[in-house]
Amino acid sequence: MAGGGLERWPVGDFTRVPYRLFRDPQIHAREAERLFGGPHWNYLGIEAELPLPGDFIVSYVGERQVVLQRTEEGALVAFVNSCAHRGAQLVRRLRGNALSHTCAYHQWGFDTKGDRIAVPQQRGVKGKGGMPADFHKAACSLKTLRVESYKGLVFGTFSADAPSLHDYLGPKMRPEIDRIFDRPVRVLGYWRQRVPANWKLYLENVKDPYHAGLLHLFHVTFGIYRPTMSGRVIMDETLGHSILRTADIGEDQAEVDKTYAGIDKYREDYRLNDPSIFDVAPDYDDRVTNMIMTVFPNLMLGQVANTFQTRHVRPKGLREFELYWTYFGFQGDDHQALEGKLRQSNFVGPAGYISLEDGEAGRLVQTGTDRRDDDDASIVQMGGRGPIEDQDTLATEVALRGFWKHYAQAMGIAVPEVAA
């Protein structure tokens, strides 16, 4: 089948999304080939994690574990974390510093570029055994990726056909990255969480401003995000990347009361025992309260109040994914600014006051859709059934439609014509 387990999308305007996308093993296998092995750039990490020669982190492209490393010459390289000899996992720490890597199984050694540098007993023992005479180390290096970086965000691809990372990000996404990475960053910490849901359900979640003002009581009650705020949805030319942004500008209290009449997600009677979590000076004066950028297929760059983080979606089979958070600040932060960011980190992460509900939402959708027929599909019509284009409203699901259109194209799934 052209698209794995799905030959044809049900409707040409992408207002319906087949539930089988979240449970079909043929589709999952096709994603590994077309998305994570195809001409797309996959997020690997942040340059600030690798300040010194020999520094490395373990990351993922889809379900393939890779090592991102800074060489002795200062370049960035990435290689599959699998020994060239018999395939054993080579690097067993999540991060560290090493100028060479030795496989625990047979002690084969590799340098920071992934080139083989040692094979014990290559000439045999006591004149017997050993490798053949025509054995060449050049053919036994680790499998490497193309690596490029933009403003300190590092991506890798297995494809020689992928465009430059600069062009892949495009003119609509780059300015937002420029805005956040306008100064050197410092990594403040990490979170990891396992979510029992298909990985694409998290992409749907973070592209969906509609849910944010209805699921997250903390968001709404304490004024970080409400659909009555100034908001915008922006997509790149491919529709695969998107930005959701809200700003505390021009909000009318009467409109807030009207929007949340009969909905218990806005609680004026709620107070914080310690309101100092909001007593944090912002790094930017643009009054942005929430910004979520997604870069197809697997990166989220986020700002919630004055917290900043990347979120890396790592599939772990068909019905589970790992969400890997890298939380960062800036090198010029003084003690007060740093302490404020750490305090506000409680907004996000696996147990965040806001982010906690998103993992459960994914589980609920996975559980519910597992029981539906193969031809059943979700309804994605908030914001209209018209053109898939930028919108100046938060009452929309248009970025989901854009994601699925780009996904179908990348997966080679046929799409019916849209009636004029």
Side-chain angles (χ1 to χ4, degrees):
M1 294 184 181
L6 182 67
E7 294 184 75
R8 186 177 178 83
W9 208 268
V11 291
D13 62 2
F14 293 91
T15 58
R16 306 283 287 189
V17 178
Y19 291 136
R20 67 187 302 175
L21 289 167
F22 309 127
R23 62 171 188 258
D24 190 317
Q26 290 186 71
I27 293 171
H28 187 71
R30 184 74 168 175
E31 290 168 353
E33 172 194 351
R34 297 292 293 262
L35 304 187
F36 301 112
H40 307 283
W41 286 98
N42 287 266
Y43 170 75
L44 298 178
I46 301 175
E47 282 197 45
E49 298 177 87
L50 308 164
L52 302 175
D55 284 348
F56 67 85
I57 59 172
V58 170
S59 189
Y60 285 84
V61 174
E63 294 184 69
R64 279 190 278 190
Q65 193 178 75
V66 301
V67 177
L68 176 64
Q69 176 144 40
R70 193 173 295 279
T71 69
E72 293 172 84
E73 296 76 24
L76 291 172
V77 300
F79 48 83
V80 176
N81 193 16
S82 175
C83 181
H85 177 215
R86 297 269 290 279
Q89 183 186 39
L90 180 64
V91 178
R92 292 173 290 161
R93 291 184 291 161
L94 289 177
R95 63 187 65 87
N97 182 282
L99 297 180
S100 65
H101 302 286
T102 301
C103 180
Y105 198 0
H106 297 90
Q107 304 299 301
W108 280 38
F110 302 86
D111 65 16
T112 57
K113 300 182 185 69
D115 293 333
R116 182 180 67 81
I117 56 176
V119 175
Q121 302 169 22
Q122 180 175 340
R123 302 304 180 194
V125 177
K126 295 183 179 181
K128 298 180 180 179
M131 290 294 186
D134 62 353
F135 175 75
H136 298 293
K137 74 173 186 177
C140 300
S141 296
L142 303 175
K143 183 177 179 62
T144 58
L145 294 75
R146 286 175 60 193
V147 175
E148 292 185 19
S149 174
Y150 183 79
K151 295 292 184 177
L153 291 173
V154 186
F155 294 76
T157 180
F158 289 102
S159 173
D161 298 324
S164 70
L165 178 60
H166 181 275
D167 292 342
Y168 185 81
L169 294 170
K172 285 190 171 182
M173 300 298 111
R174 290 196 305 267
E176 192 66 50
I177 299 175
D178 295 344
R179 170 183 166 268
I180 298 296
F181 289 86
D182 68 340
R183 66 200 81 173
V185 304
R186 58 183 293 189
V187 173
L188 302 181
Y190 302 91
W191 295 284
R192 289 194 297 168
Q193 69 184 111
R194 288 287 186 117
V195 180
N198 183 271
W199 68 276
K200 299 184 294 297
L201 289 172
Y202 192 75
L203 270 296
E204 280 204 332
N205 177 277
V206 294
K207 287 178 174 287
D208 169 20
Y210 180 36
H211 90 277
L214 297 169
L215 176 66
H216 303 301
L217 183 147
F218 195 95
H219 244 343
V220 175
T221 297
F222 296 105
I224 297 175
Y225 176 100
R226 287 192 285 257
T228 48
M229 290 177 169
S230 173
R232 184 165 173 77
V233 176
I234 303 166
M235 293 168 284
D236 76 319
E237 290 183 357
T238 72
L239 305 178
H241 314 325
S242 65
I243 299 169
L244 311 180
R245 185 191 294 120
T246 61
D248 185 15
I249 300 172
E251 188 176 29
D252 179 71
Q253 186 59 47
E255 190 64 31
V256 175
D257 294 338
K258 177 182 177 182
T259 300
Y260 284 95
I263 301 175
D264 68 353
K265 293 297 182 176
Y266 175 51
R267 298 296 300 267
E268 289 185 286
D269 57 321
Y270 275 26
R271 298 289 184 273
L272 293 173
N273 287 330
D274 181 5
S276 67
I277 195 169
F278 285 103
D279 186 21
V280 177
D283 282 286
Y284 305 98
D285 59 5
D286 50 18
R287 301 180 69 178
V288 170
T289 62
N290 197 83
M291 189 286 296
I292 299 294
M293 170 192 284
T294 62
V295 176
F296 188 91
N298 69 341
L299 168 66
M300 273 63 63
L301 171 64
Q303 174 191 349
V304 180
N306 208 50
T307 71
F308 303 94
Q309 76 283 161
T310 61
R311 311 178 198 177
H312 186 190
V313 178
R314 302 170 171 183
K316 301 296 179 185
L318 183 58
R319 288 177 170 83
E320 186 175 38
F321 67 90
E322 179 183 80
L323 188 57
Y324 192 91
W325 306 68
T326 303
Y327 185 60
F328 63 89
F330 304 105
Q331 288 187 16
D333 287 343
D334 58 20
H335 175 76
Q336 184 177 8
L338 177 60
E339 194 276 336
K341 286 185 175 67
L342 293 174
R343 209 178 326 136
Q344 286 199 340
S345 70
N346 289 286
F347 290 153
V348 292
Y353 298 152
I354 297 165
S355 301
L356 174 67
E357 295 97 345
D358 290 322
E360 176 66 0
R363 185 192 70 82
L364 290 173
V365 175
Q366 186 71 53
T367 300
T369 58
D370 273 346
R371 302 166 182 163
R372 301 290 291 269
D373 294 336
D374 275 352
D375 293 333
D376 287 349
S378 62
I379 300 169
V380 188
Q381 297 183 10
M382 182 61 64
R385 293 191 295 267
I388 303 175
E389 58 188 14
D390 298 353
Q391 293 188 4
D392 291 322
T393 178
L394 301 174
T396 181
E397 295 170 316
V398 68
L400 275 73
R401 294 171 59 207
F403 168 78
W404 287 117
K405 183 173 183 178
H406 186 62
Y407 173 91
Q409 180 181 14
M411 289 282 284
I413 300 172
V415 178
E417 294 289 334
V418 178

